[in-house]
Amino acid sequence: MTQNEIVHTLSQTYSPLSAECRKELMDKMTILSLPKHTCLVLEGQYSDKTFYLIDGCARAYYLKDGKDISDWFAFENEFISSIISFFTDTPSPHYIELLEDSTLVALSKDTIDGLSNQYHDFERLIRVVVTQTMLRQRERISSILFHTASQRYAHILTRYPNITRRIPLTHIASYLGITLETLSRIRNPKS
Amino acid sequence: MTQNEIVHTLSQTYSPLSAECRKELMDKMTILSLPKHTCLVLEGQYSDKTFYLIDGCARAYYLKDGKDISDWFAFENEFISSIISFFTDTPSPHYIELLEDSTLVALSKDTIDGLSNQYHDFERLIRVVVTQTMLRQRERISSILFHTASQRYAHILTRYPNITRRIPLTHIASYLGITLETLSRIRNPKS
DNA sequence: CCTGTCATTTGATCCAGATCAAATTCAGCT
DNA sequence: AGCTGAATTTGATCTGGATCAAATGACAGG
């Protein structure tokens, strides 16, 4: 995928960008191809970058009392960042790692702020991305409060039908807020 | 509070607005003073309004299998809306009601979209509001996943120290994702 | 100051999912 | 193929908070 194609997809997926803005964005963005298991962000770091996945997938996770708890997955054409660090300029509570060999764009906060100041278009695109993220968080809250473990698992499967082929069950379980063992029992409801 | 003061506060709290934009916003906004228990939004309605509280407080809630579950509280200088309906143009799963006699500003989606198109400033203000909302949702997720019922109660008290004087315990309990009885036991840890 | 309604507390029991522990299956490597 | 550590399954037990039920408290209106 060329830079040009990336920017077009972005502009079409989220919110249209003027030719001028697209051009400047192309100049400012870095495209990276990195192997599986690469860590993009470590806990405790100040992370002022947002990543946009072209190909592959990634997750954000915490180490909470030594336990690895996934907080967010991103696939092709989705964004991922240590949102807390990115938006509040505090050290990241998250790690972010690639779950497959991936190609992605890294955008620094300076770049995003600069383009947002300069181009109303770009500010809108960011607003759209943040709004979608917010709605996804909301859905997760009601999922946790109102649905049982197995309903939540069923639900994530409808959203990402082949997630189990790309992401280990441990990570799916912790994302759903349940243990590995419970997820396993949900998947094999015999005995 | 005059219209002028309201717009100034808004501009200072969230993101600065140009004089021109402030003026147009003043023309477009409706100020309402309504008694306690007024319903601003009903379940099933298409709600294309966002409310900004000048004085008083409100909550958004679901009726889930006949049970009343609070999903959001807003106090002075905060926004509340049926976010799902507002952002996705679908019928609202929420009710919104006033918990005290309140003064508030109602802004329609048309107004917000119009001002966002016309003024980069205003688009930014909305982006800031949405970002804060998103971060507050995130905090709620980690609160539910990582903290016990009594930690969550302690936490909401630090954020809104006198919430118990303004909001009935039932609503606080359901917001925290616990029952009324559990909250009561948390508050009276004797016997 | 009494009464009905709503809010809160207290008590007894129950259950989804956690925890701890062990067995099995799988995948990458030589 | 065979080896090794990681991923997943299976089993037994435990627990925070839910649920059901009843008692008490607070307070607005007559």
Side-chain angles (χ1 to χ4, degrees):
Chain A
M1 225 187 195
T2 66
Q3 276 207 337
N4 205 347
E5 285 168 335
I6 292 169
V7 173
H8 256 93
T9 308
L10 199 54
S11 162
Q12 283 194 313
T13 310
Y14 294 100
S15 181
L17 298 175
S18 67
E20 198 191 346
C21 175
R22 287 204 304 271
K23 183 160 184 313
E24 189 158 342
L25 176 56
M26 283 192 277
D27 291 347
K28 296 253 167 80
M29 74 193 199
T30 329
I31 302 183
L32 305 165
S33 283
L34 297 167
K36 191 170 171 167
H37 296 310
T38 303
C39 245
L40 302 175
V41 176
L42 295 172
E43 182 185 353
Q45 268 182 202
Y46 284 79
S47 169
D48 67 343
K49 290 206 170 22
T50 280
F51 306 96
Y52 172 70
L53 285 174
I54 310 301
D55 216 55
C57 61
R59 69 174 181 124
Y61 65 102
Y62 303 91
L63 286 188
K64 192 80 185 172
D65 310 322
K67 272 177 295 186
D68 172 319
I69 302 193
S70 295
D71 189 41
W72 191 263
F73 300 121
F75 297 91
E76 289 76 12
N77 210 23
E78 293 181 339
F79 284 89
I80 191 166
S81 75
S82 173
I83 29 176
I84 297 178
S85 188
F86 186 82
F87 287 110
T88 66
D89 300 311
T90 53
S92 171
H94 294 104
Y95 295 79
I96 298 182
E97 69 164 6
L98 298 179
L99 295 171
E100 297 174 354
D101 298 347
S102 305
T103 304
L104 49 88
V105 173
L107 290 167
S108 73
K109 191 165 164 65
D110 282 352
T111 301
I112 290 179
D113 288 348
L115 290 169
S116 291
N117 282 329
Q118 212 178 333
Y119 300 102
H120 187 157
D121 301 358
F122 193 82
E123 179 99 45
R124 172 165 309 127
L125 183 139
I126 297 299
R127 200 249 291 167
V128 170
V129 173
V130 174
T131 302
Q132 288 187 10
T133 305
M134 188 268 287
L135 290 170
R136 189 167 149 188
Q137 311 265 25
R138 261 226 39 69
E139 192 171 322
R140 198 164 163 216
I141 291 172
S142 56
S143 168
I144 296 170
L145 290 179
F146 301 140
H147 301 310
T148 63
S150 69
Q151 288 172 323
R152 277 180 265 163
Y153 178 62
H155 185 258
I156 205 176
L157 285 184
T158 65
R159 164 134 196 184
Y160 297 112
N162 52 7
I163 194 172
T164 55
R165 254 166 279 142
R166 301 181 71 180
I167 297 190
L169 294 182
T170 337
H171 300 155
I172 298 174
S174 66
Y175 177 77
L176 296 176
I178 60 180
T179 60
L180 188 54
E181 294 94 326
T182 299
L183 180 55
S184 174
R185 284 183 243 267
I186 285 166
R187 287 160 50 86
N188 304 23
K190 34 192 153 191
S191 74
Chain B
M1 224 184 196
T2 66
Q3 277 206 336
N4 204 351
E5 285 169 335
I6 292 169
V7 172
H8 257 93
T9 307
L10 199 54
S11 163
Q12 281 194 314
T13 310
Y14 293 101
S15 181
L17 297 176
S18 66
E20 197 190 347
C21 175
R22 287 205 303 273
K23 182 159 185 315
E24 189 158 342
L25 176 55
M26 284 193 276
D27 290 346
K28 296 254 168 79
M29 73 194 201
T30 328
I31 302 183
L32 304 165
S33 282
L34 296 167
K36 191 169 172 170
H37 295 312
T38 304
C39 244
L40 302 175
V41 177
L42 295 172
E43 183 185 355
Q45 269 183 200
Y46 283 80
S47 169
D48 66 344
K49 292 209 170 17
T50 280
F51 305 96
Y52 172 69
L53 284 176
I54 310 301
D55 215 56
C57 62
R59 69 174 182 126
Y61 65 102
Y62 303 91
L63 285 188
K64 192 79 185 173
D65 309 323
K67 273 178 293 189
D68 171 321
I69 302 192
S70 294
D71 190 40
W72 191 264
F73 299 122
F75 298 91
E76 287 75 14
N77 211 23
E78 292 181 339
F79 284 88
I80 192 167
S81 74
S82 174
I83 28 176
I84 297 179
S85 188
F86 187 82
F87 286 110
T88 68
D89 300 311
T90 53
S92 171
H94 294 104
Y95 295 80
I96 298 182
E97 68 163 8
L98 299 180
L99 295 171
E100 297 174 354
D101 297 348
S102 305
T103 305
L104 50 89
V105 173
L107 290 168
S108 73
K109 192 165 164 65
D110 281 352
T111 300
I112 291 180
D113 288 348
L115 290 169
S116 290
N117 282 329
Q118 211 178 334
Y119 299 102
H120 187 159
D121 303 357
F122 192 82
E123 179 100 46
R124 173 165 308 126
L125 183 138
I126 297 299
R127 201 249 291 163
V128 170
V129 172
V130 175
T131 303
Q132 289 188 8
T133 304
M134 188 267 286
L135 290 170
R136 188 168 150 189
Q137 312 263 23
R138 261 225 41 64
E139 194 172 320
R140 196 165 165 215
I141 292 173
S142 55
S143 167
I144 296 169
L145 290 179
F146 300 141
H147 300 311
T148 62
S150 68
Q151 289 171 325
R152 275 179 266 161
Y153 178 62
H155 185 260
I156 204 174
L157 284 184
T158 65
R159 165 137 195 181
Y160 298 112
N162 53 7
I163 193 172
T164 54
R165 254 166 279 142
R166 299 182 71 180
I167 296 189
L169 294 182
T170 337
H171 301 152
I172 299 174
S174 66
Y175 177 77
L176 296 175
I178 62 179
T179 58
L180 187 55
E181 294 94 326
T182 299
L183 180 56
S184 174
R185 284 181 242 268
I186 285 167
R187 286 161 52 88
N188 304 25
K190 35 192 151 185
S191 78

